[in-house]
Amino acid sequence: MSPKSLNVRVTTMDAELEFAIQSTTTGKQLFDQVVKTIGLREVWFFGLQYTDSKGDSTWIKLYKKVMNQDVKKENPLQFRFRAKFYPEDVAEELIQDITLRLFYLQVKNAILTDEIYCPPETSVLLASYAVQARHGDHNKTTHTAGFLANDRLLPQRVIDQHKMSKDEWEQSIMTWWQEHRSMLREDAMMEYLKIAQDLEMYGVNYFEIRNKKGTDLWLGVDALGLNIYEQDDRLTPKIGFPWSEIRNISFSEKKFIIKPIDKKAPDFMFFAPRVRINKRILALCMGNHELYMRRRKPDTIDVQQMKAQAREEKNAKQQEREKLQLALAARERAEKKQQEYEDRLKQMQEEMERSQRDLLEAQEMIRRLEEQLKQLQAAKDELELRQKELQSMLNRLEEAKNMEAVEKAKLEEEIMAKQQEVQRIQDEVNAKDEETKRLQDEVEEARRKQAEAAAALLAASTTPQHHHVAEDENENEEELTNGDAGGDVSRDLDTDEHIKDPIEDRRTLAERNERLHDQLKALKQDLAQSRDETKETANDKIHRENVRQGRDKYKTLREIRKGNTKRRVDQFENM
């Protein structure tokens, strides 16, 4: 008897997939089915998420049977395929187009729902890249007013904060959309992510925690390390620890302990509301730390092959882009001449009609010519006959030198009459010959005009040519399953205290790119005129104050990682 079959629905950011699995199917087997179906190879970033019996979002365990996990029992079982870990730099790490697209759609959705705070001017610029990614180049003929009416492009917060109509928002986005002409859709998605990754909340998983004093705080886990936030500000971290400073993570019941590499520093300890929260924190810390270390080692053969393939595909796309640009230039030239063709078309058609009339006349001429040729041939035949008769008479005359005078005179009269008749016929033949030549010339001229008109009509009517993060599957697996049972769980992290913190040299794209800086500045000035400050949220005020003080994501991270680990742990305890 075969194992019981179960229906599963997996929702990616742009598709719904349905599978039939067995009761023995593991999380990895289901995950592998999904990535095979969508053609994804960069599997280390992603996971399958589900809603557990408590209503919380949880990541599926790859090395445990699906049915032994706390998945909400429904038919079909519901899973979401999402990015679980984020790259440090999208431009350096994302290889496949499918990976890029999934990240783009997930980040865009997080920005639109305000899960990631995005200031208004950046929201509009990102919206213009989103339109380029979806619709391609702006075309003033087809992309008219109202074209973007059904596209969800801006966070509702941004719309509410400005006294602008839908048409005015659309016009603003369209204006910036036109700046991205000739940009491939994948490049537009990449530009979107390069700007979005500089947003403070991008790629951060937040967890409610308390320190030993009982102060409510947030723990942020991301690709670069761990950060501590005050309860009312998730934009500006107050203390930070890069992954390279952490050698061990563990929890016991609700208490979570982080041991720094610096053995002179005390343990960094906090408390989570529930044991299962600590399990999730542990799993995210392990995965992010592994990827952090992996980035600082040579690429595996698989990754090297993927990158080589991606380079080949990129070169092919570049060539395709050049062809496209040539085609666009050709299309523009063709469009410039299109009006000329349309103006001339009517004229060509009229000439064609005249040519058709001329053709009928020419056909009549040809008929007359054929008749004339028949008559000419008959006249020539008659001439030949008379010439033969004349020659016969001359011969007889020569033979009859001695004939009598009367007979001779009669013969001479006959010869003279015959000569006159022959001359008359000769004149008729010559006249018919001249008429025939004239008709032939007229027919040839008519044919030439008809060919020219047909060629012109044809020219006027032809269209111009235009790629897993390791899980704890071997030790204490049951301790990491869902549920709130206690127990001590400890994991050593393979690290290197000599790793340079990547934050030291990191700058935002706007700081590095003058054009982007100017674009955001211009947008901010434009939006300021319609801004309703009474609609500002707490995050807006925090962001404005951070900008006023010259802070950005990476400057803040550099600041909060200053000093030795002990000082930062003490600072945390005193919050």
Side-chain angles (χ1 to χ4, degrees), residues 189-225:
M189 294 180 198
M190 180 58 80
E191 289 303 315
Y192 187 106
L193 288 175
K194 282 162 65 177
I195 296 169
Q197 72 181 356
D198 290 340
L199 298 172
E200 292 88 344
M201 297 177 75
Y202 167 91
V204 182
N205 285 276
Y206 293 92
F207 298 92
E208 292 180 87
I209 62 166
R210 288 180 177 179
N211 61 9
K212 283 191 282 192
K213 285 175 64 176
T215 307
D216 288 325
L217 301 164
W218 290 101
L219 170 73
V221 184
D222 68 9
L224 297 163

Side-chain angles (χ1 to χ4, degrees), residues 36-243:
K36 183 179 179 181
T37 302
I38 64 176
L40 178 76
R41 295 180 66 191
E42 292 170 89
V43 298
W44 47 87
F45 291 121
F46 296 89
L48 284 171
Q49 204 175 52
Y50 64 89
T51 302
D52 63 21
S53 60
K54 293 260 181 30
D56 295 330
S57 288
T58 307
W59 295 101
I60 202 169
K61 295 201 169 299
L62 295 179
Y63 300 97
K64 189 178 179 185
K65 293 175 185 177
V66 173
M67 293 313 296
N68 287 356
Q69 303 189 47
D70 191 24
V71 184
K72 186 179 177 182
K73 301 300 181 283
E74 52 188 330
N75 188 16
L77 297 176
Q78 303 283 345
F79 294 92
R80 298 174 296 279
F81 186 82
R82 296 290 184 270
K84 182 177 182 180
F85 304 103
Y86 285 72
E88 286 180 28
D89 188 335
V90 289
E92 293 292 326
E93 293 182 53
L94 301 187
I95 303 171
Q96 288 185 288
D97 284 347
I98 179 66
T99 316
L100 170 65
R101 178 173 175 77
L102 291 173
F103 266 103
Y104 160 74
L105 291 172
Q106 186 164 330
V107 171
K108 179 163 76 80
N109 184 68
I111 288 173
L112 293 177
T113 58
D114 252 350
E115 183 183 332
I116 295 175
Y117 172 81
C118 184
E121 64 274 14
T122 310
S123 297
V124 174
L125 187 58
L126 290 179
S128 69
Y129 280 111
V131 175
Q132 180 73 15
R134 181 175 180 182
H135 300 293
D137 283 350
H138 178 266
N139 184 317
K140 62 183 179 183
T141 305
T142 55
H143 301 147
T144 54
F147 179 76
L148 300 177
N150 296 323
D151 286 22
R152 187 174 171 220
L153 297 170
L154 295 168
Q156 190 61 44
R157 165 184 51 83
V158 172
I159 296 171
D160 294 344
Q161 287 171 350
H162 295 82
K163 297 170 182 175
M164 290 172 65
S165 66
K166 283 186 177 180
D167 291 342
E168 287 172 324
W169 280 118
E170 181 180 66
Q171 187 55 51
S172 177
I173 293 168
M174 275 194 167
T175 300
W176 292 98
W177 177 16
Q178 293 172 45
E179 296 276 315
H180 314 319
R181 186 167 182 80
S182 300
M183 184 178 288
L184 296 177
R185 295 172 193 257
E186 291 80 7
D187 290 345
M189 294 180 198
M190 180 58 80
E191 289 303 315
Y192 187 106
L193 288 175
K194 282 162 65 177
I195 296 169
Q197 72 181 356
D198 290 340
L199 298 172
E200 292 88 344
M201 297 177 75
Y202 167 91
V204 182
N205 285 276
Y206 293 92
F207 298 92
E208 292 180 87
I209 62 166
R210 288 180 177 179
N211 61 9
K212 283 191 282 192
K213 285 175 64 176
T215 307
D216 288 325
L217 301 164
W218 290 101
L219 170 73
V221 184
D222 68 9
L224 297 163
L226 300 173
N227 297 313
I228 304 299
Y229 302 79
E230 291 177 339
Q231 188 67 20
D232 58 355
D233 181 2
R234 292 199 291 172
L235 288 178
T236 322
K238 298 299 182 284
I239 306 167
F241 301 90
W243 292 117

Side-chain angles (χ1 to χ4, degrees), residues 179 377 405 477 500 571:
E179 296 276 315
Q377 189 60 46
E477 223 262 51
K500 182 180 179 181
Q571 186 181 345

Side-chain angles (χ1 to χ4, degrees), residues 2 166 305 458:
S2 62
K166 283 186 177 180
Q305 290 173 345
L458 180 64

